[in-house]
Amino acid sequence: MLDKESQMPDEVPVIRTIAMPADTNPNGDIFGGWLMSQMDLAAGNVAARRSRGRAATVAVEAMSFLSPVAVGDEVSLFGRVVKLGRTSMRIEVEAWRRARASEETTKVTEAVFTFVAIDETGRPRPIPAEGV
């Protein structure tokens, strides 16, 4: 199980956004699917930059929600490549929240997304070497 950490990663977030009323479920809480889509966007950005082109989500490992996100919370998403294959990569994404009137941060969830680099026809393509 994930630990609730008290310090956000010391890096620039891939995405930083504000949870809005349109992102809520029927109970008025931020919808988990909205948060997962933000995480997929963050992972996709990391994948596109690393693969220098188009990449597609092929898998997401299980997520556990540690803390709710409220309307008005700032949500910061951090992503990093944790494993690189010939055409695929695993990207870890962490989601953190900060209440609008506070500096306190709380880890909300994390997941590992698997992406495959694809060409213009949608077929897998090799990921370029880092220095190329």
Side-chain angles (χ1 to χ4, degrees):
M1 182 164 175
L2 304 172
D3 291 326
K4 281 190 183 181
E5 299 172 30
S6 60
Q7 288 264 277
M8 284 196 302
D10 187 23
E11 57 194 71
V12 176
V14 178
I15 294 175
R16 182 170 279 155
T17 189
I18 304 295
M20 300 298 287
D23 306 321
T24 60
N25 64 24
N27 295 321
D29 302 316
I30 295 300
F31 183 54
W34 174 83
L35 185 57
M36 187 172 181
S37 71
Q38 297 299 310
M39 294 173 74
D40 190 38
L41 285 170
N45 189 35
V46 172
R49 289 182 76 178
R50 179 57 190 90
S51 69
R52 294 187 189 83
R54 194 171 166 199
T57 310
V58 296
V60 181
E61 291 184 13
M63 295 173 63
S64 296
F65 293 95
L66 304 172
S67 178
V69 176
V71 170
D73 284 355
E74 177 184 86
V75 178
S76 297
L77 299 132
F78 300 88
R80 64 200 66 81
V81 175
V82 292
K83 185 175 182 187
L84 192 64
R86 192 179 79 77
T87 62
S88 67
M89 65 200 98
R90 291 169 44 91
I91 299 164
E92 180 184 66
V93 178
E94 295 181 14
W96 288 75
R97 67 174 283 276
R98 181 187 61 79
R100 196 162 188 78
S102 171
E103 291 303 313
E104 182 181 338
T105 59
T106 305
K107 189 176 196 176
V108 177
T109 189
E110 68 183 2
V112 176
F113 290 73
T114 302
F115 275 76
V116 171
I118 56 176
D119 64 18
E120 58 282 341
T121 66
R123 304 292 305 160
R125 65 175 172 83
I127 297 169
E130 188 83 50
V132 175

